[in-house]
Amino acid sequence: MDVIRAENLSVIRGGRHLLDRVSLGMAAGEVTVILGPNGAGKSTLLRCLSGTLVPDDGHVWLDGAPMAGVPGAVLATRRAVLGQESRLGFAFSVIEVIGLGRIPHTGRSDRAQNLRAIEAAMRATGLLHLAERDFTTLSGGEKQRVHLARTLAQLWPFSRDGASKILLLDEPTNNLDLAHQHRLLKHARALAAQGLAIGAVLHDPNLASGYADRVTVLNNGMIAASGTPAHVLTPELLSEVYGITLQTIGHAARGTPLLFAR
């Protein structure tokens, strides 16, 4: 069963459909990747799924109930969003930045629980040795890991009373080098293995092929295809969507397609 599901979402701005009757589900234990060219509606869809944008038509469901009816304070403990850019100009330490993720738990969690959540988030992202570092002195990749840890602290514990948590990543690999891109997505896969529902907007079909359980391709605000990477990431579909001639070869170890321009 999907933890979160969008049904027939439409978002209209200036007479143009940013989303046009889009339906999508995300299940616990899976990584769902949203692909598509610039302006396809990927980030708009993620904002609807997060509850920060109300669609003009359609509904988003959380555990089978309307997300619109979930109080914001409660929703903030169930889903977290890692945006495209998470800027912070203050000289906070790494542990202080990660601690910001515990704000939604004010009054629900004591200091000991908050510290356990922060430590678990730092351990999961390999940041324990940077706990006291000034955030502003970190590299771009390190800062991205800190913000990922902040979202994990927000969601900790990852499952309580059978209620699965959702982590939404909006173009999380932007401005990261190749090694950091793969490390971040390996983190996402590991979190899915712990029961989180992971949704990620990506630009690179090969990253989707390597890490996604399900892929949805958007084009002009509509779903062009949705399913497993092997079924969706075809050269015919992606050549049409991206307007470039592509070919695929099979990855010997994963059995998923790899794409390259012809």
Side-chain angles (χ1 to χ4, degrees), residues 114-133:
N114 290 335
L115 290 175
R116 284 198 296 272
I118 294 167
E119 181 181 356
M122 287 194 296
R123 193 177 301 279
T125 51
L127 291 170
L128 285 171
H129 67 294
L130 296 177
E132 301 303 329
R133 274 279 298 274

Side-chain angles (χ1 to χ4, degrees), residues 147-163:
H147 284 301
L148 176 61
R150 173 178 51 78
T151 64
L152 300 186
Q154 180 180 337
L155 294 177
W156 190 91
F158 295 151
S159 182
R160 176 180 285 170
D161 301 326

Side-chain angles (χ1 to χ4, degrees), residues 8 10 13 15 24-25 39 42 58 73 78 92 99 102 107 113 125 172 179 186 192 230 232 245 252:
N8 297 315
S10 291
R13 295 292 183 270
L24 171 72
K42 303 182 298 297
R78 290 289 312 278
F92 288 171
R102 297 303 293 174
Q113 290 172 314
T125 51
K186 284 179 181 177
V232 170
T245 302

Side-chain angles (χ1 to χ4, degrees), residues 29-31 184-194 210-213:
E30 290 188 353
V31 175
L184 188 145
L185 291 173
K186 284 179 181 177
H187 280 315
R189 282 237 55 93
L191 293 168
Q194 296 181 58
Y211 293 98
D213 296 292

Side-chain angles (χ1 to χ4, degrees), residues 63-170:
D63 290 332
M67 179 183 279
V70 179
V74 175
L75 183 60
T77 66
R78 290 289 312 278
R79 68 93 183 92
V81 182
L82 181 61
Q84 293 184 30
E85 289 189 60
S86 300
R87 296 183 179 179
L88 184 65
F90 298 103
F92 288 171
S93 67
V94 165
I95 195 170
E96 288 173 329
V97 175
I98 297 170
L100 296 175
R102 297 303 293 174
I103 291 175
H105 298 269
T106 302
R108 297 184 175 90
S109 181
D110 60 28
R111 185 174 183 275
Q113 290 172 314
N114 290 335
L115 290 175
R116 284 198 296 272
I118 294 167
E119 181 181 356
M122 287 194 296
R123 193 177 301 279
T125 51
L127 291 170
L128 285 171
H129 67 294
L130 296 177
E132 301 303 329
R133 274 279 298 274
D134 180 340
F135 175 84
T136 61
T137 68
L138 301 179
S139 70
E142 289 169 335
K143 288 178 180 178
Q144 187 76 329
R145 282 162 57 202
V146 172
H147 284 301
L148 176 61
R150 173 178 51 78
T151 64
L152 300 186
Q154 180 180 337
L155 294 177
W156 190 91
F158 295 151
S159 182
R160 176 180 285 170
D161 301 326
S164 297
K165 307 294 180 74
I166 304 123
L167 176 60
L168 301 175
L169 310 171
D170 192 2

